[in-house]
Amino acid sequence: MNSNQQIIEAYLAELDLALRGQSKSLIQDALYDAESHIHDTLSENSDLKLSVIIADFGRAQDVANQYIHLETQTQNFLLGKPKQSRVNGFFEPLFDASAYKAIVYFLISWPLSIAYFAWFSIVGISLICLSLFGLGLPLLALYLKLQSYVALLEGQIVETLLGERMPRRPYYFPMVQQSKSLFSKIKHRLKTPHGWKVTLYTAVQLPLTSIYFAVSVCLFIASIGLTLSPIFDPIIHYFNPMNSIDIQWYWLPVCVPAGVIGITLSFHIANALSKLHRAIARLLLAA
């Protein structure tokens, strides 16, 4: 390792230490930005000294303080001031936007998880099997590298719909490794836990989202159907007499309360499951 690489690693370690206590996602973004800036500036201005580039970027503690301040401002802007709930008790989730977002996440994550599982089962398992014989190690390393972009995509969906702060940059993988031999870079990539953690996420996402869908989304859809059936069943029967009426209009006073209770219950379940999935995403998708 040359002196430049040692200086970069020392600066990044100092920045990592200054950000200790912050979320892993914020630290991942900050380290990626810092190293990208240093290497991009070096490639564009090879005459500049590394010490000058780092000094212009800022002391590690100052940079960390800027990231923490910006993160606080961003979260305050996104979340806003806490709003007092219009209704307390069982029906409170009906007025909580996060419950609706959780239902949307569970609705779209199930088909997306099928794509993740196909990526894992067809590509990942095949390369892992080949690597047991030493044939697929370079391709497996590439697969693990691509997992950081899978994590980035899924992380943005989780952050948007479930509200968990996730990385907004690809996984921080030290660029100093670029100067090493191809074998060393492959070995380093295979030993890095992040790609394997994302692989585990893509493997378990399908069974998890199937459970989420079955216990929350299906209950939500069924409850809406129960609420609206006394209205729409007679209308459909009027235009198509061959269609039998499942629930007559006079069941409306019973179906509406029962449907609203079912919808609210599905929101309670969705909120509980979203807490579980936020923890899983935080553990497996962030560095």
Side-chain angles (χ1 to χ4, degrees), residues 4-276:
N4 277 357
Q5 293 169 348
Q6 290 177 333
I7 293 171
I8 294 172
E9 285 198 346
Y11 178 77
L12 294 176
E14 189 178 350
L15 179 58
D16 189 9
L17 182 63
L19 287 167
R20 183 164 295 176
Q22 302 301 312
S23 70
K24 290 182 178 180
S25 301
L26 175 62
I27 296 173
Q28 178 175 323
D29 290 348
L31 292 176
Y32 184 90
D33 288 343
E35 189 169 15
S36 295
H37 172 81
I38 293 170
H39 280 274
D40 289 346
T41 307
L42 271 177
S43 62
E44 293 172 3
N45 303 280
S46 55
D47 296 335
L48 282 177
K49 290 185 178 180
L50 182 59
S51 58
V52 174
I53 295 173
I54 293 178
D56 287 342
F57 189 72
R59 290 175 56 249
Q61 188 61 57
D62 295 336
V63 173
N65 291 339
Q66 290 174 6
Y67 270 93
I68 294 170
H69 178 67
L70 180 60
E71 182 71 11
T72 303
Q73 285 187 321
T74 303
Q75 292 302 314
N76 290 339
F77 174 77
L78 293 176
L79 299 177
K81 295 181 179 179
K83 295 180 181 178
Q84 184 137 16
S85 178
R86 300 178 188 177
V87 176
N88 292 320
F90 178 75
F91 292 102
E92 186 175 349
L94 289 173
F95 305 94
D96 183 7
S98 63
Y100 293 88
K101 288 182 178 180
I103 289 290
V104 172
Y105 175 77
F106 297 149
L107 182 63
I108 67 174
S109 64
W110 186 70
L112 189 58
S113 67
I114 296 175
Y116 292 156
F117 190 78
W119 166 248
F120 161 72
S121 59
I122 297 174
V123 180
I125 293 179
S126 300
L127 292 177
I128 290 171
C129 292
L130 281 174
S131 299
L132 295 177
F133 303 98
L135 300 176
L137 287 176
L139 290 176
L140 180 59
L142 176 61
Y143 170 82
L144 294 174
K145 179 180 180 180
L146 293 176
Q147 291 293 66
S148 64
Y149 297 98
V150 174
L152 192 62
L153 168 65
E154 175 65 15
Q156 292 312 296
I157 298 174
V158 169
E159 180 169 352
T160 302
L161 295 177
L162 299 185
E164 179 67 30
R165 170 57 162 96
M166 298 302 294
R168 296 161 190 164
R169 311 284 189 278
Y171 169 68
Y172 159 69
F173 187 80
M175 293 185 182
V176 295
Q177 298 296 327
Q178 292 178 1
S179 63
K180 294 190 175 183
S181 67
L182 178 61
F183 177 77
S184 297
K185 288 190 285 187
I186 291 173
K187 181 180 177 182
H188 188 80
R189 178 67 68 177
L190 294 175
K191 290 170 62 178
T192 302
H194 182 257
W196 296 106
K197 292 198 301 181
V198 180
T199 299
L200 176 60
Y201 184 92
T202 57
V204 302
Q205 179 75 337
L206 181 57
L208 284 175
T209 54
S210 298
I211 295 172
Y212 301 156
F213 191 90
V215 300
S216 61
V217 177
C218 289
L219 176 59
F220 176 75
I221 294 172
S223 299
I224 290 178
L226 177 63
T227 305
L228 299 178
S229 282
I231 300 173
F232 286 100
D233 272 7
I235 295 174
I236 294 172
H237 178 74
Y238 177 80
F239 288 102
N240 186 7
M242 299 298 294
N243 251 357
S244 60
I245 299 177
D246 296 323
I247 302 178
Q248 293 285 357
W249 62 269
Y250 48 76
W251 284 102
L252 190 64
V254 176
C255 291
V256 170
V260 171
I261 290 173
I263 292 170
T264 308
L265 184 59
S266 73
F267 284 166
H268 279 290
I269 295 172
N271 280 336
L273 291 176
S274 71
K275 289 180 183 178
L276 169 65

